[in-house]
Amino acid sequence: MRRRGVLGQAGLAGILASCSAPAVLAQPVIRWRLASACHPSLDAVYGGTEQFARQLGLLSGGRLQVTLLPTEEPVASLPLLEALQAGEIDALHAVPSHFVAIDECFALDSAVPFGLNSRQMSTWQLEGNGLKLLRDFYAQHQIVNFPMGNSGAQMGGWFRRELDSPADLADLRMQMGGLGARVLQSLGAVPQQLPMGELVGALERGQLDAVEWVGPHDDRKLGLGRVARYYYYPGWWEGSAQLSLYCNAKAWRALPPDLKAMVEMAAQSVHAAIQARYDVLNPVALKQLVASGVRVKTFSKPVLDAAFKASNALCADLSRRNPAWRRIYADYSAFRREQNLWHRLAEASFDRYLQSARL
Amino acid sequence: MRRRGVLGQAGLAGILASCSAPAVLAQPVIRWRLASACHPSLDAVYGGTEQFARQLGLLSGGRLQVTLLPTEEPVASLPLLEALQAGEIDALHAVPSHFVAIDECFALDSAVPFGLNSRQMSTWQLEGNGLKLLRDFYAQHQIVNFPMGNSGAQMGGWFRRELDSPADLADLRMQMGGLGARVLQSLGAVPQQLPMGELVGALERGQLDAVEWVGPHDDRKLGLGRVARYYYYPGWWEGSAQLSLYCNAKAWRALPPDLKAMVEMAAQSVHAAIQARYDVLNPVALKQLVASGVRVKTFSKPVLDAAFKASNALCADLSRRNPAWRRIYADYSAFRREQNLWHRLAEASFDRYLQSARL
């Protein structure tokens, strides 16, 4: 973070002292360097990163100038996180589940298999205990976090062959990261993590049997629909996948209260915008995919049941081994229970009626 | 809107002209008078109105000071709208469907029977054509609008007797406003609009047969669960019910760009907060209601089918009679079709699995 003083505060304060006015002090211009963990081709997300920078410039009248650093391909998240922690960048638009190898708790800020849906995740953070618990966790990583985007429930990915029973998961080489990869492994599959640019080729050659990416819009752009026929849903490992704004804790603390409020508001605004953008883009892409011959299928109940059981086992194991996980997940899972009890009444029955009606 | 100049801009500009700095001009303090169409006892909503005022003070460093006017009981929305249009107040936290008697298009900014759910409504406004279309409509009313809150899918209300078939709607005296009242009337019921303070007594005495209010949190506080046994869902007339911030168009135009951005951001933040607060409060209240003996029931398919058919007939009739409605509703209903096609895959199947799982 670099600051450039624009006016000696004492001098201006002296000038203003003669006025019966609210204090108008010349504020230093603060410059933030922002990076994105997503490639610009993920335009719903990357457009949100750009929007965040623009909005802060507008809100602050130029007092907080956020520069979005050019993104290299392939994007490697870990060096970006280290750069943030070292203060080489001030903010990172992150996919927290990229960091589960450091600590599984990162997944609780993004996607837990069979976890909270998009609305529930926002609610947990805004009005439940989520943000507070995650802030406690992130403090040790020199991060101050804000939810900034969600994809909604992702699709279950692209398969070269149909997947009928849990036995079909045996030795399945499937592209997947986050905690979903661990669940998949416990079911006998072999999770892979290839760079984005290699996915289509690997799936086409049969080096991969399946690829999960995001949803119809991003998947279609990447070309996955051209090389695999079966498109499954739901992505039970990402019933919602949240992105977060990570601020370097020191850079954050250096902001005056009004700029802190602006960062928070801009992040909230982008949080809503990214979800909305995906919801507008995905139906269009899905229709195009179906028109091109893709077969859209749901995972069978036995597959979902096996995955649910394995996910619960993983979460229970993490609660035994990782004290921070135990503390946060206890709240997360209680919240999930409450929300699903409530949403199955008015929300679900209303949605179900409309989804089966001739509109 | 009253402004108080704090420094002659020319004078300060002269002082600052000698600095190679971004222009730091003393800005006048702008004071806005804000009213709420909701009684403070609707705390999820009213707390959002208060939050909006606070956030703007913080964001603007006191440059935009929003005073929330005391709310009289009973709240009458129409005089507040007239006060807004006359510039006597600068902003109103409104329930747009209170104004369907002026023009049915107000409902398109709040709740249409069998309309968009909460997430779809936000998406339509943020990334679809919704906000643009509504802004065009509101311009003739000297209003600049922002979505600011949603209850989510409401419950179907409180009934003294069970409601099994559409025939049971005949002569049913039910408290309901908005377009839902017109649908109800076409089904043979007799919609009523009593003030909030009289609802419990009227239902208890049998002067009303049924009351729809909001959801478990607000309904329990009002005492409806003490005087009617059957609590139905879903509120098909309010699959989501949005509140809006109305700004007087002249007051809005007088804001500089940064304050405009702050108003927009603060409204977006409160929009998310109100939905989240309802989602946290409703499950708790629902459990208390059930524990007190309330019977929670879903409307039967014949009742929903009759209501859906009558709602479609109303919307088609409005499209014939009201050109503005025709223009906006064409986009609204196409958007609803797209969204429900998409959400019934990953979103619905994920939610359904979790809602039926043992969590």
Side-chain angles (χ1 to χ4, degrees), chain A residues 7 16 19 59 117 119 127 153 262 268-269 275 277 279 287 305 338-339 344 347 351 353 355, chain B residues 7 16 19 59 117 119 153 262 268-269 275 277 279 287 305 338-339 344 347 351 353 355:
Chain A
L7 263 184
L16 294 172
C19 310
L59 282 167
N117 71 18
R119 175 162 149 187
E127 295 287 326
M262 290 176 199
Q268 283 193 16
S269 172
Q275 176 66 88
R277 217 162 284 159
D279 277 350
K287 279 201 257 186
D305 286 345
E338 290 278 300
Q339 290 295 302
R344 77 197 220 178
E347 289 292 342
D351 285 348
Y353 190 87
Q355 285 164 10
Chain B
L7 262 183
L16 293 172
C19 310
L59 282 167
N117 71 18
R119 176 163 149 186
M262 290 176 200
Q268 283 193 15
S269 172
Q275 175 66 88
R277 216 162 285 158
D279 277 350
K287 279 201 258 187
D305 287 345
E338 289 280 299
Q339 290 296 301
R344 76 197 218 177
E347 289 292 342
D351 284 348
Y353 191 86
Q355 285 164 10

Side-chain angles (χ1 to χ4, degrees), chain A residues 67-84:
Chain A
T67 305
L68 178 54
L69 302 181
T71 301
E72 314 265 324
E73 161 132 39
V75 179
S77 281
L78 199 55
L80 289 175
L81 183 67
E82 289 166 354
L84 179 85

